Amino acid sequence: MFDYPQHAHQRRHGPRGYNDYRSFKPWLRDEFAFRCVYCLWRETWSAAGDAAFSVEHLRSQSQQPDLARDYTNLVYACCGCNSAKQDHDAPLDPCRDVWATHVSVGLDGVITAMTGDGQRLINLCLLNRPALVSARQTMFRLWSIL
């Protein structure tokens, strides 16, 4: 349920020609299995559905505006992680890095770092914000009774 990938993500799509990076959202939703690449929260677990998710830039638009519409620089993220990250570059790229070697989610709902980049990701996206840890704990409890 909250397992980070054991392999770098291989992109299946590569649309081009959009003038607005937000136009890539339907592609990215499918590309990243309708879940936030950072905290692993799923669209279906959010009352707002896909409205609680957005197109996120791995390399900040403010620092690298030339990559703003580059599909390889875009991922799908919940608005909480996207807002926390703001104008910073992500320390990990899901298409380049094996995230399971950097971060893991414990049954207590807390994400633990195994590397410096993993800790930077946790800190940057506030992956252990109290509401998110509590929500993960609830999902684990629900999962255990099914």
Side-chain angles (χ1 to χ4, degrees), residues 25 29 34-36 41-50 53 76:
K25 186 175 180 180
R29 289 177 73 215
F34 305 89
R35 72 186 318 170
C36 176
W41 197 255
R42 293 188 177 276
E43 261 185 29
T44 58
W45 299 339
S46 174
D50 76 320
F53 289 76
Y76 196 58

Side-chain angles (χ1 to χ4, degrees), residues 1-2 9 12-13 24-55 71 75-79 139:
M1 175 180 353
F2 289 110
H9 178 82
R12 298 184 314 264
H13 307 302
F24 289 110
K25 186 175 180 180
W27 296 98
L28 294 165
R29 289 177 73 215
D30 181 67
E31 184 81 57
F32 292 101
F34 305 89
R35 72 186 318 170
C36 176
V37 296
Y38 299 119
C39 70
L40 302 179
W41 197 255
R42 293 188 177 276
E43 261 185 29
T44 58
W45 299 339
S46 174
D50 76 320
F53 289 76
S54 60
V55 174
Y71 189 75
V75 295
Y76 196 58
C78 72
C79 292
M139 294 305 290

